[in-house]
Amino acid sequence: MNKEQIFTIFGGTGDLTFRKLLPALYNIEAADDKELSARIVVVGRRDYTSESYREAARGWVEKFARLRFQKETYEKFAGRIVYYRMDFTDENAYEGLDSFYKKMQAGSHIFYFAVAPRFFSAIVKGLKRVEGAGEGKVVIEKPFGESLPAAAKLNESMEAFFKADHIYRIDHYLGKEMVRNIQIIRFANPIFSHVWDAEHIECIQISAMEEVGVETRGGYYDHSGALKDMVQNHLFQILTIVAMEQPESMAVEDMHREQIKVLKALRIPEDISEHMVLGQYEGYREEPAVNENSTTETYAALRLLVDNDRWRGMPFYVRTGKKLGTREMQVAIVFKSPAEGVEPDILNIKIQPTEGVYLQFNIKKPGETEELSQAKMDFCQNCSLVNRMNTPEAYERLLGACMRGERSWFSQWDQVEISWSYVDEVRKQYRQKGLPAYGYRQGSSGPEEAERLLKSFGHRWFE
Ligand code: BG6
């Protein structure tokens, strides 16, 4: 790549840009890789100059960048940022943007849509007025659209303007170190791969618990909710990696093929009330830009069934929520107990904030006794500074991949389509049954009703 690559962020004053994109781009700058060098054009409506924007961005980078903040690196990085003030929903404003790019002698483009999906079409429309934009790459954030038909329409309009292989649908969970590690843990270890099925596993639990609320993102989130914001994309990606058959090779295309088969095998439940619980934290309706009568869920727990030979009958529990008592993302594999009263073996893949693996198994208590106790082996990968320094943060990894033109760790349209149809259907059934988003206390572990999903099957959440 040459110096003329322009990385434009639409939604440059939003939470995602400050919290994730700029820190990731700063880390990329610190690595000083010529191939990844780009000028950054930040598009926003707010009244910043390039100077004041760089100043505002500084604190966020200092707080959120993986690498230690260094003044010289930041100055070099900030020198690449230009703030361009415009209303990206105003089609005519793109003529100004076109002239601006011409003055910059822009070469190739990467456009990052860090905005709610309802604005994607307006930006695509506007970019038609920018010379060479259609040749560029575009990175879009989930959820892609707001329902399956809307997503399909959106995809069509994007593909009519950008080349299909220039569209990067980012799912930053695919950039997380321990998500990438799942298939190694599974397939490179016979002690796990030989027992990875419904015959040996009692249940699998995927949890993504967050302490944060909707913060400044109420306007987006209230149209979305936990099912579309977390389950349909991030958690389904993880579930399909955990459940897929061994791909022919480690190449991501092969993995993708196997993931699709799992999505297709997801069974729509007969009685949704036994399979899904939605919740809303107390105080959510008072959050900025949230409707005062909102029924949007900030918590979702699902009991999912994958109808294939490997998994038939075994539940996958998936849960995610905001304003919970802890921030923790993990995949717990609970094996079948060998006899009544004996604790199950548990393999817990910790995705964040701790990256590591926990293994619990039975052992004899020391001394003159035949009683059992549990050995708890806890491996923490990111406790080592060297490992931390060598592990790129998810956005950093994926933005770098996009700049290099590597598409494999991005979501593909067929995945998005099947996930949408599943989520649309369960949501519809939930509504038809008149089931609510149950209230839950901030700082708790979610609505009590979520326990019901597991209890009636003799299971409990692994904490
Ligand atoms: C985003 C969601 O995709 O992922 C947010 O829109 C959520 O609502 C975030 O907070 C969680 O990401 P991470 O990397 O902090 O687990």
Side-chain angles (χ1 to χ4, degrees), residues 1 42 73 90 125 131 153 161 214 225-226 333 349 372 378 408 434:
M1 285 301 151
V42 176
T73 312
D90 174 5
K125 212 163 172 199
E131 205 177 304
K153 208 165 146 215
F161 183 60
V214 293
I333 318 291
I349 303 175
L372 300 185
D378 213 352
S408 42

Side-chain angles (χ1 to χ4, degrees), residues 193-433:
S193 57
H194 289 181
V195 289
W196 208 266
D197 53 34
E199 195 189 331
H200 299 94
I201 298 178
E202 179 69 27
C203 66
I204 294 184
Q205 306 183 4
I206 303 175
S207 301
M209 321 285 273
E210 294 190 275
E211 278 176 320
V212 290
V214 293
E215 318 291 296
T216 56
R217 303 165 68 225
Y220 147 74
Y221 194 89
D222 208 34
H223 285 91
S224 174
L227 275 176
K228 297 183 199 170
D229 186 56
M230 290 290 291
V231 176
Q232 184 251 2
N233 34 72
H234 303 326
L235 300 190
F236 274 13
Q237 285 286 0
I238 295 175
L239 178 130
T240 50
I241 296 173
V242 171
M244 70 187 178
E245 295 303 305
Q246 180 156 13
E248 247 174 70
S249 75
M250 292 302 279
V252 188
E253 295 69 28
D254 287 331
M255 178 174 115
H256 171 72
R257 203 165 304 128
E258 293 305 330
Q259 284 182 285
I260 285 287
K261 290 186 198 158
V262 177
L263 284 176
K264 286 188 175 158
L266 272 183
R267 199 197 307 150
I268 299 283
E270 271 162 31
D271 180 1
I272 195 68
S273 61
E274 287 199 355
H275 287 259
M276 185 160 93
V277 169
L278 302 181
Q280 188 188 76
Y281 64 79
E282 290 169 0
Y284 170 72
R285 294 175 188 178
E286 282 86 62
E287 297 279 24
V290 167
N291 186 317
E292 56 184 352
N293 300 313
S294 174
T295 55
T296 301
E297 78 284 359
T298 59
Y299 177 99
L302 290 94
R303 179 173 185 272
L304 298 162
L305 294 171
V306 176
D307 196 14
N308 64 18
D309 288 349
R310 184 180 291 275
W311 297 116
R312 193 156 297 120
M314 192 217 77
F316 287 83
Y317 297 108
V318 162
R319 65 174 167 167
T320 183
K322 294 203 180 286
K323 284 277 186 200
L324 300 174
T326 168
R327 175 175 184 246
E328 203 168 62
M329 160 91 226
Q330 61 187 23
V331 180
I333 318 291
V334 181
F335 289 91
K336 285 200 165 142
S337 168
E340 219 184 307
V342 177
E343 285 294 314
D345 292 351
I346 297 173
L347 168 71
N348 187 24
I349 303 175
K350 299 189 200 181
I351 291 173
Q352 69 185 25
T354 305
E355 294 172 3
V357 178
Y358 165 94
L359 182 63
Q360 178 181 309
F361 55 94
N362 292 304
I363 192 163
K364 190 184 88 56
K365 267 192 187 163
E368 294 309 315
T369 171
E370 292 306 317
E371 264 182 67
L372 300 185
S373 68
Q374 284 72 51
K376 299 178 177 185
M377 294 171 88
D378 213 352
F379 163 64
C380 171
Q381 183 156 281
N382 65 340
C383 289
S384 131
L385 183 65
V386 179
N387 286 346
R388 238 181 9 243
M389 295 302 283
N390 287 333
T391 308
E393 194 268 330
Y395 270 95
E396 178 186 345
R397 188 174 240 161
L398 295 173
L399 293 184
C402 169
M403 289 177 183
R404 289 196 184 89
E406 293 163 9
R407 302 189 69 247
S408 42
W409 284 90
F410 289 82
S411 308
Q412 309 296 314
W413 170 246
D414 49 0
Q415 275 174 315
V416 176
E417 199 174 20
I418 307 174
S419 310
W420 261 130
S421 56
Y422 189 87
V423 166
D424 276 359
E425 180 57 29
V426 291
R427 175 186 285 282
K428 193 176 91 197
Q429 291 191 13
Y430 196 84
R431 288 229 176 95
Q432 278 170 353
K433 281 235 158 188

Side-chain angles (χ1 to χ4, degrees), residues 131-147:
E131 205 177 304
E135 298 299 305
K137 296 177 196 162
V138 61
V139 189
I140 48 176
E141 274 286 335
K142 43 97 282 212
F144 312 109
E146 280 166 5
S147 62

